[in-house]
Amino acid sequence: MSYLMNTGLQNAGTNLQSPLRFALAQNAELRGLLTRDDAEAVAQLNAYAAERHIPFWSNTFKFYGPEEVVRAQWAYTKKRLASIEGAESQEGAFYRFPISDAEKAAARDEQDLGYPALATFSIGARSPFGPPTWGHISFSPVIPMTGEAIIESQRVLSRVLQDFGRDVAVNVFPQSYHPRTLVILLMFSVLHDVEANRDVRRVMRRLIEVGAEHGWGEYRAHAAFMDDCAAAYSFNDHALRRLQETLKDAIDPNGVLSAGRYGIWPKHLRSG
């Protein structure tokens, strides 16, 4: 037999999420507080969260294995969480396999129960789960795995979004699937609207610039922005790019292999 326990403050998958940001998405007057770091803004956010009992951050922990092991893991997790002032925990669903059809139907994600599915890959794409799009572009800077870095990145990147008239309340979430760093994810839809897509490109290029100013490199760059991301690594007159170009010329002198990939161009196609 095998068991699974799904526990946490919110159903947030494996990613750190901010229920407070989702709540503020419904309150236009308070959205701007997310881009500020003064004492008054912090006090207002604290008061708003306390009055409504909304956590600033949440996560979900999932355990698999024999019942004794699962319960021991959950007990240890609660013990570690207890060291965080104000932290609360809530036990989620507990399954004993094989599960019933009703339990499977009620599950948030069939993949958690071991049933192969492709629903995860529909996020941000054309699907019943969101508005019609023709793809997406994401800005995914890598930041240190610290609370201070999360707060700084949220404020800095939210300001950029605000400058471009974009919603700052439901974007900028840290993803925790890397073992030693966090990845911030901002997604933009590709539409059948030329001007809207141009605006996305402008926002992306500004985000890349601001990220570089704070030492945040891109996790994976869309092909349209590989040159921008490569240019952000500008230390010592772009020493990294010059090294990469030297290797490119030695290994692929005719420039026939993935020209321009990761911002590394063959000699005859380089600008400047």
Side-chain angles (χ1 to χ4, degrees):
M1 295 182 182
S2 59
Y3 301 82
L4 173 150
M5 184 185 288
N6 183 1
T7 61
L9 299 175
Q10 299 282 334
N11 281 330
T14 58
N15 303 326
L16 289 169
Q17 298 287 14
S18 174
L20 180 62
R21 292 183 73 93
F22 282 114
L24 290 179
Q26 310 302 319
N27 191 322
E29 294 182 3
L30 295 180
R31 289 182 185 180
L33 297 177
L34 294 172
T35 65
R36 293 166 49 186
D37 55 7
D38 56 279
E40 180 183 355
V42 172
Q44 289 186 56
L45 286 174
N46 281 329
Y48 183 85
E51 289 170 3
R52 293 160 179 79
H53 198 63
I54 302 172
F56 273 73
W57 301 102
S58 66
N59 206 344
T60 297
F61 303 89
K62 304 168 187 177
F63 309 109
Y64 301 81
E67 180 174 359
E68 293 83 357
V69 173
V70 167
R71 295 201 181 279
Q73 290 176 316
W74 176 224
Y76 180 73
T77 300
K78 288 191 292 184
K79 178 181 177 181
R80 293 297 301 269
L81 290 174
S83 65
I84 303 173
E85 183 178 355
E88 299 178 5
S89 60
Q90 177 182 338
E91 185 169 319
F94 185 90
Y95 298 96
R96 179 175 179 176
F97 291 87
I99 66 171
S100 66
D101 291 339
E103 287 176 316
K104 178 182 176 183
R108 184 181 64 87
D109 190 340
E110 291 184 3
Q111 295 175 95
D112 289 347
L113 303 177
Y115 294 94
L118 297 176
T120 296
F121 298 99
S122 66
I123 299 174
R126 288 170 288 184
S127 75
F129 300 97
T133 69
W134 281 261
H136 68 272
I137 295 173
S138 63
F139 175 62
S140 313
V142 179
I143 67 171
M145 189 175 276
T146 65
E148 292 80 5
I150 293 175
I151 297 300
E152 181 186 10
S153 66
Q154 296 238 323
R155 287 173 176 154
V156 169
L157 300 178
S158 289
R159 289 190 187 110
V160 175
L161 295 177
Q162 189 177 58
D163 289 344
F164 282 86
R166 293 190 169 265
D167 193 353
V168 302
V170 293
N171 275 307
V172 199
F173 289 117
Q175 315 296 305
S176 57
Y177 47 76
H178 283 199
R180 296 181 180 86
T181 60
L182 295 172
V183 178
I184 300 294
L185 180 61
L186 287 78
M187 293 181 63
F188 305 94
S189 294
V190 177
L191 307 173
H192 275 183
D193 183 327
V194 174
E195 187 50 44
N197 292 336
R198 286 196 183 116
D199 186 61
V200 166
R201 288 178 175 243
R202 288 191 286 268
V203 176
M204 279 289 298
R205 291 197 164 94
R206 181 55 184 155
L207 287 169
I208 292 169
E209 291 175 354
V210 171
E213 291 169 2
H214 289 79
W216 306 326
E218 174 68 25
Y219 156 57
R220 58 179 182 182
H222 187 283
F225 304 101
M226 286 184 176
D227 286 340
D228 299 273
C229 291
Y233 291 86
S234 58
F235 173 74
N236 194 18
D237 190 24
H238 298 275
L240 176 61
R241 184 168 61 192
R242 288 187 285 111
L243 171 62
Q244 292 167 332
E245 290 173 346
T246 299
L247 295 173
K248 176 74 170 175
D249 294 342
I251 298 171
D252 181 27
N254 295 321
V256 298
L257 302 176
S258 300
R261 182 71 168 169
Y262 305 118
I264 307 170
W265 292 89
K267 186 179 299 185
H268 67 285
L269 294 178
R270 289 173 200 154
S271 59

